[in-house]
Amino acid sequence: MPRIQILSDTLVNQIAAGEVVERPANALKELVENSLDAGADNLNIELLAGGTKLIKVIDDGGGIERDDLHLALHRHATSKIRSFDDLSRVATLGFRGEGLASIASVSRLVLTSRFEGAPHAWRVEADHGGVGEPEPAALAMGTTVEVHELYYQTPARRKFLKSDATEFAHCEDAVKRLALANPGRQFTLTHNGRAQLRLTRGDLARRCAELLGDEFVQSGVRLDERVGPLRLWGIAGSPTLSKASRDAQYFFVNGRFVRDKVVQHALREAYRDVLHHDRHAAYCLFLELDPEGVDVNVHPTKIEVRFRESQGIYRFVFSALSKALSGTRAGQTPANVDPETGEILASAAPSAAQPASGWKPQDYAQQAYRQQPMPLPMASEPLATYDRLFGDLKRDPVAVAEPPPTWTGFAPSASMPADDEDGIPPLGFAVAQLHGVYVLAQTTDGLIVVDMHAAHERVVYEKLKHALDLERMPTQPLLIPHLFPAERLDVATVEDHQDALLALGFDLSVASPTQLAIRGVPLLLKDADAVELARAVLKDIREVGASQALAGRRNELLATMACHGAVRANRSLTIPEMNALLREMEATERSGQCNHGRPTWFRLTMKELDGLFMRGQ
């Protein structure tokens, strides 16, 4: 057995490099973070062969003094912390003082820097652990770090590197994360002599548009929530623009990109109600809190953190994002975005464009009301709302207005989205139904297409949630009970969970050992197929239990009920009924997506329609 001995400093640094500098992207991240900590506003990054041949970072930060250049390449030498108290409230990106030393131990590194106010710059070289003496050099300002031949003398490590294209992709991802966290800094990334990224200074919306796309910014939800020392702000991507992977998920804690299980679970749960199946949300969010409330010294690359009050962080992130997503309603145009061109404006103004046909807005309302409504019980409640909100468009303007009828439905109490200056609501007025599936509506700037089943499903779902929250789920008694054959497990479920079924608005009883009687159904679902609805609810309760169905699986159960209660495809609707659905969508939270995350509507502007027919070209 060999005897225990102390390892050399060079070997210790190379071991540390295996943890901190796994690939060129990790080395680049360490160098750029140092530049940001030094106060740099402009960062130029040059790479050769994916960073394996050269990584060069040029910044205009404060620089390093001559006597500190040698120390900068020693392990655990840093200007960012002095004591354990400093370590417990780290406010900088770097703090361990081992990044440069680890990189220098597995490469040939050249460090050139000019301290602010110094007559000239100084340069020091390190060749795989050996550090030379500082020499005078020419540099206008800031610091330049060059890393040549990464892992050149450690072939065991070098053989694990991938192709140049793959390594560059990782380097580009690292730069994007740091650029998103610092929109007020300018970044330039060059690979093999060709510019790949040029990011100018601006705000978060502009930086996100450059890196994540204009559509992400235009359809995204802005949020800025504060509770005590906690703040969550940024842009949450629209559920409609979900991704097949997690590539567009950026979450920062005090300016540091992290992947934390607590935060990821909170974000996933907040999106669960509006995200389609196995799709993933896109977001760029920033969590700010007291540095003492988070430990960033738990991972070699600092990509993981540990919160002191993880449950409090979970609740705050979940509630803040849920509130932002629930505030979205069909027809709303994102703030500060031109609805026709999609350009981000300083202050958005409502469009005053008139419809191409020359009709006035009042003409559409009068045309809608000339048609006689057909009986449709499930739309009677929205029709009352529609009449209350827009009935005066068809009345004589000089007539004395009567007090509007009081509506006692179960829709969440929320203000309607603002109409434009001509009184046109956000989703416009219905003009036709297509193949019994889609509702076509005309707005001041184009055409709205609505999936009527998906839209009504969301409306019913939100009403069911609201009623259950208030413990006021009304039951519609049936004049003649529905008898249907049932399995013994279903009969036992009714006997064991009678209270839970009543809480959901169901009045079920056992008629015989093989038959159940439906004596009442939820009022909001009175037009649904009572037997199919009862079977679906009994199946859910039997599989997960009543308590879990009303707690953890509550939304899934209500979504099943809403799906059965929503208006079906191929159901013919009158114009007033279609308009009633549009008004309900405008007043309902999360109505841009159905319960399964599918979009409920989309807009075609006149500009887009003109482009299809090449008008004006």
Side-chain angles (χ1 to χ4, degrees), residues 525 527-534 564:
L525 306 177
D527 297 294
D529 186 323
V531 174
E532 290 300 319
L533 181 60
H564 282 276

Side-chain angles (χ1 to χ4, degrees), residues 213-222 235-241 328 332-334 337 593:
D214 291 331
E215 194 173 7
F216 170 80
V217 176
Q218 293 167 15
S219 64
V221 180
R222 272 71 164 180
I235 302 176
S238 168
T240 308
L241 294 180
T328 60
Q332 284 182 323
T333 301
V337 175
Q593 291 78 33

Side-chain angles (χ1 to χ4, degrees), residues 221-258:
V221 180
R222 272 71 164 180
L223 71 154
D224 191 347
E225 293 290 328
R226 295 176 183 267
V227 174
L230 302 177
R231 180 192 181 198
L232 182 68
W233 64 281
I235 302 176
S238 168
T240 308
L241 294 180
S242 58
K243 308 288 184 181
S245 66
R246 297 184 177 91
D247 293 344
Q249 295 182 347
Y250 296 91
F251 192 86
F252 303 88
V253 176
N254 289 343
R256 184 191 309 276
F257 176 81
V258 300

Side-chain angles (χ1 to χ4, degrees), residues 297-353:
N297 191 30
V298 297
H299 192 273
T301 61
K302 301 187 283 287
I303 199 170
E304 295 180 6
V305 296
R306 182 181 294 119
F307 295 104
R308 178 174 295 178
E309 299 290 343
S310 59
Q311 289 302 312
I313 296 295
Y314 178 92
R315 289 192 294 270
F316 170 67
V317 172
F318 172 76
S319 61
L321 183 55
S322 296
K323 178 182 177 182
L325 293 175
S326 67
T328 60
R329 291 174 174 80
Q332 284 182 323
T333 301
N336 300 332
V337 175
D338 188 317
E340 290 196 12
T341 66
E343 295 179 356
I344 301 172
L345 306 175
S347 59
S351 171

Side-chain angles (χ1 to χ4, degrees), residues 5 7 89 100 195 204 270 281 294 324 406 429 457:
Q5 60 181 350
L7 301 178
R89 51 172 181 267
L100 281 176
L204 179 63
V294 57
T406 302
F429 292 105
E457 186 177 355

Side-chain angles (χ1 to χ4, degrees), residues 11 58 84 151 214 237 275 281 399 415 424 456:
L11 184 55
I58 306 170
F84 179 75
Y151 292 128
D214 291 331
L275 209 57
S415 59
I424 299 293
H456 194 240

